[in-house]
Amino acid sequence: MQQTGRCLERHILFNCPCEPIKIIIFLLWHSSYNLHNPCSYSSYNSQSPEGRKGKMEEQVEMVGKAFVDHYYHLFDNDRPSLALLYQPTSMLTFEGQKIQGTDNIIAKLVQLPFQQCHHVISTIDSQLSSFAGGILVFVSGTLQLQGEDHPLRFSQMFHLIPTVEGSFFVLNDIFRLNYG
Amino acid sequence: MEEQVEMVGKAFVDHYYHLFDNDRPSLALLYQPTSMLTFEGQKIQGTDNIIAKLVQLPFQQCHHVISTIDSQPSSFAGGILVFVSGTLQLQGEDHPLRFSQMFHLIPTVEGSFFVLNDIFRLNYA
């Protein structure tokens, strides 16, 4: 049962045409299902603390990866839709420039001096920020701009906070290019 | 408020890398049992394990040169996120390595900060 669940998760994560944000919600439902279902609760409880911690770590990794896929897919294909991932309290520091709130953040991102871009992600590291389910995601990769010969290297970190609807929003966002 | 967050971020970064480059075991004072480090993808938890990892890195002497420091409040009881980029010069190596690192600092009752979350990545060409 456990293994079938995991195969299903991977299938949905990589093959499902539904919006990735629904995948995040599915993963949260799946993890809460495991905690509250009487059958799996006893098996969860009978696991060692190390086993439980490992499962939790896995879930944090999965949320981080699902979020990164979703975020850069939107960035590269439908930048205004990133608005759904921010709130009035969100903070972005973009190459040292500080911006607060959905409207200002989206205004900055859509006004960046390129139309088309493509992010290629090299590394994703995720950790629990330990407050009510917050997750820190640290990303590195390259950014190919249309018409440019060489891709730019970048690093970015996100602090994701759970919403009441069972999704996440970006509270903290810091972006830096990595120059040669 | 923003200025204070920036000042704490810079002061922490100076302190952290000074210790790293000159007295690595003393970094133990900046971590607690709940601290988490992900070092080049390897996950490590708790002061003892983290310091063991850092002192066992395959170089004796190193020197960090910091290029950028970005700080933001993490909005939980005074927590601060600090995002750093720079270079790391190892003794005997010709070329410095580029790296990025993020810290999540949590205030302590004594009025200082400890590192709850720490993620380190080299930036390869």
Side-chain angles (χ1 to χ4, degrees), chain A residues 45-180:
Chain A
N45 227 20
S46 68
Q47 281 178 15
S48 63
E50 289 73 28
R52 265 175 281 174
K53 191 159 81 78
K55 253 188 112 52
M56 175 70 122
E57 258 180 33
E58 230 178 71
Q59 282 167 357
V60 167
E61 292 283 343
M62 288 176 75
V63 170
K65 284 191 164 62
F67 169 79
V68 163
D69 282 347
H70 183 55
Y71 181 89
Y72 293 108
H73 176 83
L74 285 183
F75 198 112
D76 294 347
N77 296 287
D78 185 12
R79 234 179 288 172
S81 289
L82 289 171
L84 298 166
L85 297 176
Y86 295 97
Q87 288 192 4
T89 50
S90 299
M91 289 166 280
L92 165 65
T93 306
F94 190 94
E95 282 287 284
Q97 184 190 353
K98 294 172 191 301
I99 301 146
Q100 173 144 9
T102 314
D103 296 344
N104 296 326
I105 290 171
I106 298 309
K108 172 68 183 178
L109 296 181
V110 304
Q111 284 163 25
L112 288 171
F114 48 83
Q115 284 300 329
Q116 291 216 350
C117 65
H118 179 56
H119 290 82
V120 177
I121 304 310
S122 310
T123 66
I124 306 171
D125 295 305
S126 304
Q127 289 182 4
L128 278 177
S129 71
S130 154
F131 293 100
I135 294 178
L136 290 165
V137 187
F138 189 69
V139 184
S140 74
T142 61
L143 174 55
Q144 181 72 59
L145 302 183
Q146 190 186 33
E148 296 287 327
D149 282 337
H150 303 288
L152 303 170
R153 278 191 307 280
F154 76 93
S155 297
Q156 187 157 14
M157 61 139 280
F158 302 97
H159 185 197
L160 308 181
I161 306 294
T163 66
V164 290
E165 298 89 1
S167 179
F168 286 89
F169 80 95
V170 178
L171 177 65
N172 305 96
D173 180 347
I174 304 181
F175 175 92
R176 279 282 179 188
L177 292 170
N178 297 329
Y179 296 105

